[in-house]
Every structure is written in C-alpha cells, then in structure tokens.
Amino acid sequence: MGQEKLTVGLIYGGKSGEHEVSLQTAFAVSKAFDYAKYELLPFYITKQGEWRVGDKLTSPFTSQEQLQLDAGIGGTTDAINLLFKGLATGEAAIDVAFPLLHGTNGEDGTIQGLFEMANLPYVGAGVLASAAGMDKVIMKKLFAEAGLEQCKYCYFTASEWERNSHILIQGMEEKLGYPCFIKPANLGSSVGISKARTREELIQSIAHALRYDVKVIVEEFVDAREVEVGVLGNDEPLASVPGEIVSSGEYYDYQAKYLDGKSQMLIPAPLDTELADRVRDLAVKAFKAIAGSGLCRADFFVKKSDESIWINEVNTMPGFTPFSMYPLLWRETGVSYEALLDRLIGLALERYETRQKLDFENGVQ
C-alpha cells in the first residue's frame, strides 16, 4: 500500500447508558493515532440513535465537545451511505471501522453485523463473540463447556419472575444463599448491579435489574481478589500481565469504576509467578471459549481461601482510555497505547483478509 494512509472510521457515542464513556474513549483514541499513517473519519451516534458523520481528521479533536458532531454535518443518511459506499460503488470510504461503543448496540454484535453486511474490516470481536460476551448467561454456559471454573448462578426472565417469583426465590436461597449479586444479563460497565443480604433486598434488587434488561442473573458471593487480564490477537492470542482491582466500595460498581476515583488498579497484580501464569492461560482459554478476536479483557476471581481461579466475565470492548485497565495492562506488558491501536487495526485487516478467502458459494461444482 506504500505510504498511502489508511482511513479509519471511528464510531462512537451510541444509544447506550455508556455514551459518555464512549466519548472519552474516542477523544483519547483520536489523540493517540499516528496521523502520518491514518486519517480518521468520525461517525457520531447520538443518544437518540441518529448517526452523524464529520470531515476527515488529519489531526486530533481539540475537545470532547467537538466529538458531538453538529446536526448540520452529514446526518444518518450520509453516514450510512458512506459506510456502505464500498458495496454501492466498489470504492470504500473507509478501510477499517473502529467501533468505540460500549454496551447496547455497540458491544453486543448488532453493529458488528452492520459491518459484516457492509463488507468492512472492523476492530474487535465478531458478531457471535460480541453477542455471547454481552449476555452473561450465554457467556457462562460457554465457559462451563470449556471447563472454566466459575461461581454458582441462577437466571430467569421478567415473565418467569412475574409468574414464579416465590419458587425462584426459594431456588436462589437454596443454591446461592446470602449475600448474592443481582445483575441485568445484558449490560456493560456494572450498571444495575446490586448486592442483596436478605430476601427483601433480593426482591428490590431484581426489580432494579429488570429496569435495564428482561433477563436477570443472580450469582453467589465469592470472597476473592478481582484480577483482570488483557487478551490481544486472533488465532494466536497473547495475554498481558494481570492487574488487580482494589475497589473503593463493597464491589466494583459503576460508581467505583467511573465516578469516585477511589478504586485502585495494581498493575502488575501482586501474584506469585505461577498464579499469574495460570490466570494468563485461563484468560486465553476464556477468549477462545467465546470465539474472540482482536481484543478482550478477562476478569477473574482469585479466591482468598485457596487461591483457586474462577472466571467472572469477559469484556469484548473494554474501557479504552489511556487510564483504563486494558491499555494499562498492555503498557505494563511492553505495548504502548499507540502500538496497541496499530496492532488492533492490523488484526482487523488480517481477520478480514482470511474471511475473504472463504468460499461463500454453495460448493456445487
């Protein structure tokens, strides 16, 4: 390709509770790109789900406000036309899509499906891994199938809860006991999570979680350290050094994660070498269990009683500002933020090329 610059479509914002986090990420990424190698085409999705597209960037955004592209700039029709330009004209407007959308519609396979339809290379997990990584119940079933140890859990839908709440409560008390954690099944960034110590709190917590999703997962309490590992790669993924979260609250919720600034990240985690290696191996195993590609952050519990390692969850589009756990883990492993962006784009193109070689005809000769 010589010295020709790659055009990267930066897609951020979104109709999600994590809209602001996405803007922070997009701002950081725009500042870290090497503009000698890349041009950025910004696509902003408003909280209402409208698309806007700006002019190509040959230098970073100067403020976060600038990212919220003006309605006068190209609207939804222009944005979608640009995304699908390659299909319509044979000449793509962007070389690779970089979705920086956390949570609903960005991390759950929906926008990945749009990129697949537009025949565009894109950074990160594919449709299946994104969807499985977003649905905590499906994720846990895949982990179980892969032989990864995890905490006990129960799950149910809103309609099941309406019909059988009494039976479900009894089942949870018998299987999980108190305290237990209640989470919406499909939501990132620890939104809607509660800890219940009594039946009354359990009922309140489930009502709270059902505001965010139609499926709820309830997990047993584990007295454990929280250890996280970054995974990077496609078919031969690598694991970063582990990091440890020491939460400011009783558990790592949205407040502790983004607002109060009191949670500590210890990188590398103070683990002995053998334990650190085991966690890294399990992170790769978890990545493969969901059919991951590009990147993910794998979160573990290391039980205080016996140092056994339990998988908690994977995040296929982890926080990505320079102060987020995922880039910091890789920085400590020897990969800078800028190099990480390069590597992710390279992995996106590599995966796309591999898939282009597949025979999508019906195989009849």
Side-chain angles (χ1 to χ4, degrees), residues 268-284:
L271 303 171
D272 68 50
T273 312
E274 191 204 346
L275 195 57
D277 286 347
R278 273 171 48 217
V279 175
R280 292 173 80 172
D281 287 346
L282 289 169
V284 169

Side-chain angles (χ1 to χ4, degrees), residues 154-169:
C154 299
Y155 66 94
F156 47 86
T157 61
S159 61
E160 286 168 340
W161 175 248
E162 273 173 40
R163 290 197 309 272
N164 297 317
S165 61
H166 188 67
I167 295 165
L168 288 169
I169 288 167

Side-chain angles (χ1 to χ4, degrees), residues 45-290:
I45 305 174
T46 69
K47 282 186 175 175
Q48 289 70 43
E50 293 157 8
W51 287 61
R52 293 180 188 158
V53 60
D55 297 322
K56 273 189 185 173
L57 292 181
T58 49
S59 61
F61 283 112
T62 53
S63 71
Q64 223 168 280
E65 288 69 42
Q66 229 189 337
L67 279 96
Q68 297 177 50
L69 304 172
D70 186 53
I73 296 178
T76 301
T77 306
D78 292 334
I80 298 298
N81 282 346
L82 272 178
L83 271 183
F84 282 87
K85 189 175 175 227
L87 279 185
T89 66
E91 230 174 279
I94 61 176
D95 296 305
V96 61
F98 201 147
L100 295 168
L101 297 155
H102 304 285
T104 317
N105 294 337
E107 201 177 337
D108 55 7
T110 48
I111 200 158
Q112 288 76 13
L114 183 71
F115 299 144
E116 293 282 355
M117 295 299 287
N119 197 30
L120 278 174
Y122 57 94
V123 169
V127 175
L128 175 73
S130 300
M134 196 66 181
D135 187 311
K136 293 180 170 67
V137 175
I138 302 296
M139 187 199 305
K140 284 181 181 298
K141 291 181 176 183
L142 291 172
F143 290 157
E145 179 67 26
L148 291 158
E149 279 192 81
Q150 53 191 343
C151 65
K152 294 200 283 278
Y153 66 96
C154 299
Y155 66 94
F156 47 86
T157 61
S159 61
E160 286 168 340
W161 175 248
E162 273 173 40
R163 290 197 309 272
N164 297 317
S165 61
H166 188 67
I167 295 165
L168 288 169
I169 288 167
Q170 281 183 317
M172 286 181 275
E173 288 177 339
E174 281 170 26
K175 186 176 178 181
L176 312 174
Y178 295 108
C180 56
F181 287 102
I182 298 88
K183 305 175 181 179
N186 281 282
L187 214 60
S189 267
S190 316
V191 173
I193 295 183
S194 316
K195 183 179 183 180
R197 297 161 195 80
T198 61
R199 181 177 283 201
E200 192 183 346
E201 285 183 0
L202 176 65
I203 292 165
Q204 284 173 349
S205 299
I206 289 166
H208 179 62
L210 285 169
R211 282 174 44 198
Y212 298 100
D213 194 16
V214 294
K215 185 161 65 173
V216 168
I217 185 165
V218 183
E219 299 172 355
E220 69 171 314
F221 168 73
V222 190
D223 187 20
R225 297 162 67 183
E226 293 188 48
V227 173
E228 304 186 344
V229 178
V231 182
L232 179 67
N234 287 337
D235 297 335
E236 295 174 21
L238 301 172
S240 73
V241 299
E244 182 171 358
I245 299 285
V246 182
S247 181
S248 57
E250 276 196 79
Y251 54 96
Y252 197 41
D253 61 1
Y254 190 87
Q255 178 79 23
K257 204 172 213 175
Y258 294 117
L259 305 177
D260 69 13
K262 291 178 192 155
S263 291
Q264 273 186 293
M265 291 190 279
L266 307 178
I267 306 171
L271 303 171
D272 68 50
T273 312
E274 191 204 346
L275 195 57
D277 286 347
R278 273 171 48 217
V279 175
R280 292 173 80 172
D281 287 346
L282 289 169
V284 169
K285 198 172 176 183
F287 180 80
K288 289 181 171 176
I290 63 151

